[in-house]
Amino acid sequence: MSRFIVSALPPAGLKLPSLKLVERRRFGDHRGFLSRLFCAEELAEAGWSKPIAQINHTMTARKGTVRGLHFQHPPHAEMKLVSCIRGEVWDVAVDLRADSPSFLAWHAEILSAENGKALLIPEGFAHGFQALTADAELLYCHSAAYAPEAEGGLSPVDPALAIAWPLEISEMSERDRAHPLIATGFVGVRL
């Protein structure tokens, strides 16, 4: 029996077919539960095709904080499996793939410790989130190690993206505030 339920996103309307929602099944009893965070064999069916190169753990202290929108340029482009292990976040992925029919489209999902959902974000997407609770913690599985020379980012408040953050933005890092707006002629990421 698979320990994951995988869905393409969003279920209706504009499709981002390579973005996947992973819902973890919990198996438990009076002692608690077991939930598998990662299984290469099962997630391969959802598009995860590489080994895990890095696992990162973040904690965002203040509700309303926005982090992102981050990505890495090829040849360091990465897939991410993003899971919330404490609190709740509104997790966003933006398609930056050149010539994609969903170029610059975004999709968001609520990830929480309670709902057990994760986003499987393919190469060529930017990622960010807003903390919906204080002390929100995320685990990220990355298919490529962080490469500072390949770092890219977009402004989370870029009017061209029109991301409808659910809360007033209470905090953003200087680095994220400095991400550029999408310029006319932006062609995206070529994988």
Side-chain angles (χ1 to χ4, degrees):
M1 172 196 252
S2 176
R3 297 196 185 257
F4 303 105
I5 301 168
V6 179
S7 311
L9 291 171
L14 178 65
K15 298 285 184 197
L16 299 175
S18 53
L19 180 64
K20 302 288 195 270
L21 179 66
V22 176
E23 297 182 65
R24 295 186 176 91
R25 293 185 174 159
R26 291 181 175 168
F27 299 91
D29 58 25
H30 67 280
R31 301 167 298 163
F33 68 86
L34 169 94
S35 176
R36 183 168 290 155
L37 291 177
F38 186 89
C39 175
E41 184 178 314
E42 291 183 30
L43 289 173
E45 296 173 21
W48 189 278
S49 59
K50 298 180 178 182
I52 294 176
Q54 194 167 296
I55 299 175
N56 292 317
H57 177 199
T58 64
M59 192 280 291
T60 302
R62 189 169 175 202
K63 179 179 176 178
T65 297
V66 168
R67 292 180 137 185
L69 299 159
H70 306 139
F71 65 97
Q72 290 198 152
H73 292 278
H76 302 283
E78 61 185 341
M79 290 182 286
K80 294 178 183 177
L81 181 66
V82 181
S83 305
C84 183
I85 59 170
R86 182 177 179 200
E88 186 174 75
V89 300
W90 196 70
D91 207 63
V92 178
V94 180
D95 189 351
L96 300 181
R97 298 169 299 168
D99 304 320
S100 169
S102 56
F103 179 62
L104 296 182
W106 60 271
H107 180 79
E109 286 288 327
I110 292 176
L111 306 182
S112 72
E114 295 303 313
N115 71 18
K117 294 179 181 180
L119 270 186
L120 195 158
I121 303 169
E123 295 174 345
F125 278 65
H127 170 258
F129 68 89
Q130 183 172 47
L132 300 179
T133 61
D135 302 324
E137 293 186 50
L138 298 181
L139 276 182
Y140 298 77
C141 295
H142 298 263
S143 66
Y146 173 67
E149 70 280 7
E151 181 179 80
L154 299 175
S155 171
V157 294
D158 192 325
L161 296 174
I163 295 174
W165 300 103
L167 303 175
E168 183 178 335
I169 297 173
S170 62
E171 201 167 325
M172 243 192 309
S173 71
E174 288 305 315
R175 175 181 148 220
D176 289 347
R177 285 186 193 286
H179 289 320
L181 297 177
I182 295 170
T184 302
F186 175 68
V187 297
V189 174
R190 297 207 185 276
L191 299 174

